Amino acid sequence: MAKWGMVIDLEKCTGCQACSTACQMENSRLPGENYQDVLYYTEGRQPTPQLKWFPRPCMHCEEPSCMHVCPTKATYKTEDGVVLIDWDKCIGCKYCMIACPYGVRFYTDEKALIEPNIKQVFKGDGDLSWNPPYKGPQQDPKHGVGIQPNGVVSKCNFCYHKISKAPKGTPDLDEANPELVEYVPACVRTCAPKARYFGDLDNPNSQVSRLISDKQGTRLLDHTGNKPQVYYLTGGGAAAAAVPGTRANKKA
C-alpha cells in the first residue's frame, strides 16, 4: 500500500497561484477558501523589502493533531496515508481547526471571506452550502469530496477521488505520463514551473523519496510532532520558514 505524499520545490515555485485556481475549480471551493493557499509576505525593511511567497496545502500528517481531537472520529487517516473528513460524522465543533497548527481547515457557515457572498448568489440545494456554476467531482461525503455541506469542516483531500483510483504499485503520479495523468492531483497537474511532485513516500525508488533524500527535504513546523507528509525543498536543507497564517508565526 502506498503512502502518498507531496514535495514542493520552493526554488521553482513562482507564486503564480495556478495550484489555487485549479484546486478551487476541482473541489468546488468558495472564493477565498483555498485548499491550496499561496501566502504572500515581505522580508526586510524599506526601502528594499522583498516580496516572498509560500505554498501551503494540508500537510496530511503522519500524526495529525486534528484527528486526535475529533470527538466523532470524523477526521481519519486512510491506509494510503491521506487525512480525510467524513462529512456524515462531522458535527462542526471546530476542535480540529484549533488543533491544526497550519490553519488549513474551513468551516462553511462562517462569514464570507469575499463580498458579495457567493452562497447567496448561487444558493445550495438541500444541505449543500452552495450551488457552484461549475461542477467538480461527484459528491462523496465519506471522503470529504464535492460541495461542502452546511455545518461541517473541510480541507484539502489530495484529490482523493483521483489518487485512490491510481494503479497499485505506482511510485509517482506524474502528469507527463499519459497513462497516469487522470490520477494526478489538480494542483500538481497545473503547476507551470513543475514545482510540485506527488508519489509514494514508502517507495525508496519514487521521485518524491529521491528528492527528499538528495535535496534534504524539510517539513513545516516539524517540532510540533505532527510529521507532515508534505516536504519542501529549500535549496540548502534549511527549515521551511514559519510564515503568516501558521500557528507558530501568530504565536511569535
Side-chain angles (χ1 to χ4, degrees):
M1 178 67 70
K3 184 173 81 172
W4 297 118
M6 185 179 292
V7 171
I8 302 177
D9 191 336
L10 296 180
E11 291 192 302
K12 287 184 176 180
C13 177
T14 61
C16 69
Q17 293 185 302
C19 55
S20 303
T21 302
C23 176
Q24 188 172 43
M25 297 297 292
E26 182 70 32
N27 292 286
S28 303
R29 299 306 305 148
L30 286 162
E33 294 185 358
N34 297 321
Y35 286 164
Q36 299 295 328
D37 250 344
V38 178
L39 307 177
Y40 292 87
Y41 60 103
T42 56
E43 284 186 354
R45 298 181 178 180
Q46 295 289 353
T48 57
Q50 290 184 320
L51 177 66
K52 301 285 187 177
W53 51 85
F54 190 86
R56 183 202 58 183
C58 172
M59 301 295 150
H60 291 273
C61 305
E62 291 182 32
E63 295 293 336
S65 53
C66 57
M67 182 184 72
H68 295 313
V69 302
C70 180
T72 63
K73 307 302 180 185
T75 295
Y76 65 101
K77 196 168 178 66
T78 64
E79 291 183 355
D80 47 1
V82 182
V83 178
L84 298 175
I85 301 175
D86 184 341
W87 286 334
D88 288 339
K89 291 183 178 179
C90 180
I91 58 175
C93 67
K94 305 184 188 178
Y95 285 177
C96 59
M97 296 178 68
I98 298 172
C100 174
Y102 304 104
V104 292
R105 289 179 166 237
F106 299 92
Y107 183 68
T108 186
D109 293 344
E110 291 183 339
K111 182 180 178 181
L113 297 177
I114 295 177
E115 296 293 343
N117 188 346
I118 299 299
K119 290 186 289 186
Q120 298 300 321
V121 179
F122 299 101
K123 294 185 178 181
D125 299 325
D127 192 41
L128 300 182
S129 58
W130 73 308
N131 185 25
Y134 48 86
K135 294 296 188 295
Q138 184 176 358
Q139 200 74 5
D140 181 9
K142 294 293 183 183
H143 296 107
V145 173
I147 302 171
Q148 185 176 353
N150 290 307
V152 301
V153 174
S154 68
K155 58 176 282 296
C156 160
N157 51 49
F158 266 174
C159 283
Y160 198 71
H161 55 287
K162 290 176 172 285
I163 66 173
S164 60
K165 299 175 182 177
K168 292 184 178 180
T170 302
D172 294 284
L173 295 181
D174 186 352
E175 74 279 2
N177 186 337
E179 296 182 358
L180 298 176
V181 65
E182 292 302 324
Y183 310 118
V184 179
C187 62
V188 178
R189 185 173 177 178
T190 59
C191 182
K194 305 302 179 187
R196 291 184 177 228
Y197 308 84
F198 193 86
D200 183 0
L201 296 175
D202 276 351
N203 187 332
N205 296 316
S206 68
Q207 187 177 20
V208 288
S209 293
R210 295 197 306 270
L211 285 170
I212 293 168
S213 175
D214 296 345
K215 295 191 175 183
Q216 301 179 4
T218 187
R219 302 188 286 196
L220 182 63
L221 305 183
D222 210 10
H223 64 277
T224 63
N226 283 31
K227 300 180 180 178
Q229 288 174 206
V230 174
Y231 287 77
Y232 293 92
L233 306 181
T234 62
V243 295
T246 59
R247 186 70 52 80
N249 185 273
K250 290 178 179 179
K251 186 176 180 179

